[in-house]
Amino acid sequence: MRQRRTRSLQWVLVRRLILLQAAMLAIFVGLCAAAFWIANPTLLVDNEAAVAALKGAVERDVNGRLVVRETEELKQFRESFPHVWYIIRDRTGQSVRSGAVPEVYAGTPGLLLDSVEHATLDLNRDDLRPEAYVENTTTKAGPVQIITSTRSSREQTDGLEVNISATVDVARNPDGSRNWQRALPALSLIVLTLVLPIVLVMGLATLVTTPAVVRRSFAGLVDTADQAARIDINTRGMQLPVQRVPQEIAPLVHAFNQTLARLAQGYDQHNRFLTDAAHELRTPIAILRTRAELLTKEPQSERLLQDIERLSHLAQQLLDHQMLERPGDERRSVDLTELGRRVTADLAPLAIEAGYDLAFEPPAGAVHVKANGMQIERALANLVRNAIDHGGGSGTITVGIDGGGGIEVRDEGPGIPPDERENVFQPFYRLQPQSRGAGLGLNLARQIAELHGGTVSILGGSERGARVRIELPVSSC
């Protein structure tokens, strides 16, 4: 079954943000359209506002002539637009004007302007004469035509003028009502034309910025994940930092830290149990050995002593495993030559009793490594004991030290098959299930070597037997 790929958070955010922005923009456009539809606003530009102010001011005097009263609205408009001018005509030809009326607008308008409701009179762009607004409207004085503008020349601007013009004419039915069935496709196209570029720009901005923001926001989480990947059995008490972790992820990191603390506590309790059990075993084993030595020298008593020795060695190996928990600050300069000579001498009686010759090959001079001497001594002792247990009971076991920080133990037994050379380092793994060893010696030696930055390997060659080598970094002192 194909494993499903995990989703990328940043691309999920990108897609959802783009969809959210598009939806919000569509809702905003819809609300604006609804508001305009309900309010049906009338937007006035300056010239149209001038007409609106003049409508309420146009009257007739007692003689029936057109007059423009100075209403409050017109007065306020003049204060805002001091250059306003206008021409007001009725259908009888009477007119009233005010302000600096450009000559081009002073003539009699054509019949077309008499028939339109309103229009903007715009001249050539290079012409300094201003645009004007004309509207045929009904006032207190009756139907009139108003031509007006808020300025007499385009030079009377504030330096910059922006004109935005939009005309929306909806198709109508014969009765004058709007025909939305015909208008909606065109309106949809207009809205799409206006909204689509905005959505594309917003989507592109989101596509570019979101991954960078997500990577920056989760940089602390990446560092925390890297630290979590480096946690092993020797750093089980480590706690992951939460200072740079996003607030939403912090509970997960706290829960992980609590799990690490519980695991470390359980591991320590387990180690203490093994240590106490190994210590407790040493006393009855010593009593058994003493009593067995008092027995008559017979084959059965000899085998009993060998079994007791194996049991004692297993208890010692369990203690050696707990010794690996000691802190690294106990390391000091150790002379491997002297250490190898001492271990060889200590184990010589055991090797000779098992039927071997034990040889020691020292280097030309001293070889110093920075290590915990007791641990290195136990690693070498386990390799020698392993050779005694599996070397075939004859031949020579050789302990060699070289100037490169190497320690070798060689025997002349059946050796270790190439395909088993990695398996034998597993705890309690034995090539022969009925063999005398417990399967802990090589595993312990590897753990001690790795704890000191070294390695343990089983070497091949033309020689008969097994050849196990420990390599440790040599110190300068």
Side-chain angles (χ1 to χ4, degrees):
M1 182 177 179
R2 186 176 180 181
Q3 186 176 5
R4 185 178 179 182
R5 292 181 59 186
T6 57
R7 294 190 301 172
S8 171
L9 177 60
Q10 70 178 21
W11 295 116
V12 170
L13 290 176
V14 167
R15 289 193 297 269
R16 292 183 178 179
L17 284 175
I18 292 176
L19 293 176
L20 177 63
Q21 291 170 351
M24 293 298 295
L25 187 59
I27 292 173
F28 176 75
V29 171
L31 291 177
C32 290
F36 276 100
W37 175 260
I38 295 172
N40 193 22
T42 300
L43 303 179
L44 298 178
V45 295
D46 296 343
N47 292 344
E48 296 175 7
V51 172
L54 288 169
K55 285 181 181 179
V58 176
E59 298 180 358
R60 292 187 185 273
D61 60 10
V62 294
N63 298 320
R65 291 177 298 186
L66 285 175
V67 295
V68 177
R69 304 293 183 185
E70 192 69 15
T71 61
E72 186 65 27
E73 182 181 1
L74 182 59
K75 181 179 179 181
Q76 293 178 359
F77 189 82
R78 287 182 185 276
E79 292 177 356
S80 301
F81 300 94
H83 301 292
V84 65
W85 59 265
Y86 56 84
I87 300 174
I88 302 176
R89 297 185 179 92
D90 63 8
R91 295 181 178 179
T92 64
Q94 293 187 44
S95 66
V96 58
R97 68 177 61 186
S98 175
V101 180
E103 189 63 28
V104 68
Y105 299 111
T108 301
L111 295 177
L112 179 61
L113 293 183
D114 291 337
S115 62
V116 301
E117 181 180 353
H118 58 81
T120 298
L121 306 177
D122 196 2
L123 302 178
N124 190 286
R125 292 184 179 275
D126 297 330
D127 197 328
L128 293 180
R129 292 173 293 185
E131 67 177 18
Y133 182 76
V134 57
E135 182 173 333
N136 293 313
T137 185
T138 301
T139 65
K140 296 178 182 179
V144 298
Q145 182 184 76
I146 302 176
I147 302 177
T148 183
S149 178
T150 57
R151 59 192 180 183
S152 301
S153 173
R154 293 186 181 182
E155 294 178 338
Q156 295 173 345
T157 65
D158 294 328
L160 179 65
E161 186 178 50
V162 178
N163 292 323
I164 300 176
S165 178
T167 301
V168 179
D169 190 9
V170 179
R172 296 179 181 272
N173 297 313
D175 60 356
S177 61
R178 293 182 175 90
N179 189 342
W180 289 108
Q181 187 175 0
R182 293 179 57 191
L184 282 178
L187 287 176
S188 301
L189 181 61
I190 293 173
V191 171
L192 183 63
T193 304
L194 295 176
V195 172
L196 185 60
I198 299 176
V199 173
L200 291 177
V201 172
M202 295 173 63
L204 181 61
T206 303
L207 187 65
V208 172
T209 58
T210 301
V213 172
V214 170
R215 283 195 299 269
R216 184 172 181 179
S217 300
F218 282 83
L221 182 60
V222 173
D223 293 340
T224 301
D226 291 339
Q227 295 186 38
R230 293 194 295 269
I231 295 177
D232 56 22
I233 195 65
N234 297 318
T235 57
R236 58 187 179 276
M238 179 180 177
Q239 295 287 289
L240 299 179
V242 296
Q243 290 78 9
R244 298 182 59 199
V245 173
Q247 185 177 3
E248 294 78 7
I249 309 296
L252 178 62
V253 178
H254 283 301
F256 187 77
N257 285 336
Q258 293 173 2
T259 301
L260 288 177
R262 291 193 298 269
L263 289 175
Q265 183 179 6
Y267 185 83
D268 291 339
Q269 291 176 350
H270 178 70
N271 279 350
R272 285 195 296 271
F273 170 78
L274 291 179
T275 303
D276 294 343
H279 275 292
E280 291 296 325
L281 283 174
R282 298 179 73 178
T283 300
I285 290 173
I287 295 174
L288 284 175
R289 178 186 291 112
T290 302
R291 292 179 177 177
E293 290 175 348
L294 296 177
L295 297 176
T296 306
K297 298 295 182 178
E298 295 180 359
Q300 293 294 335
S301 61
E302 293 295 333
R303 284 195 292 270
L304 179 60
L305 285 173
Q306 292 175 0
D307 292 338
I308 293 174
E309 180 61 29
R310 287 178 55 196
L311 187 59
S312 175
H313 181 53
L314 176 59
Q316 182 60 49
Q317 286 182 323
L318 292 175
L319 289 174
D320 290 341
H321 269 279
Q322 308 314 308
M323 184 175 59
L324 297 179
E325 302 297 323
R326 295 185 180 181
D329 55 4
E330 295 184 6
R331 299 180 185 179
R332 56 180 58 88
S333 181
V334 176
D335 184 359
L336 289 184
T337 304
E338 180 60 30
L339 184 146
R341 182 179 289 110
R342 183 171 60 252
V343 172
T344 304
D346 291 342
L347 295 178
L350 185 62
I352 293 172
E353 184 180 356
Y356 300 95
D357 293 327
L358 188 59
F360 178 63
E361 296 179 353
V367 179
H368 291 276
V369 296
K370 190 172 183 180
N372 184 312
M374 185 178 297
Q375 292 179 348
I376 301 299
E377 184 174 329
R378 295 309 307 166
L380 178 56
N382 275 277
L383 293 184
V384 176
R385 288 294 300 263
N386 194 70
I388 294 173
D389 290 338
H390 304 287
S394 63
T396 302
I397 297 175
T398 303
V399 178
I401 308 292
D402 59 53
I407 305 174
E408 283 193 13
V409 177
R410 302 186 295 271
D411 62 51
E412 298 176 357
I416 302 175
D419 56 346
E420 294 282 2
R421 289 178 180 174
E422 188 62 31
N423 296 332
V424 293
F425 287 104
Q426 300 300 319
F428 300 105
Y429 183 87
R430 291 178 291 185
L431 290 177
Q432 302 295 332
Q434 302 300 325
S435 62
R436 297 176 57 190
L440 287 175
L442 290 177
N443 175 263
L444 180 63
R446 169 170 281 187
Q447 291 191 58
I448 293 175
E450 291 178 349
L451 189 64
H452 289 79
T455 60
V456 175
S457 57
I458 298 176
L459 306 180
S462 58
E463 299 88 353
R464 180 173 178 270
R467 181 184 175 195
V468 184
R469 178 180 176 85
I470 300 177
E471 289 191 4
L472 300 172
V474 179
S475 62
S476 56
C477 59

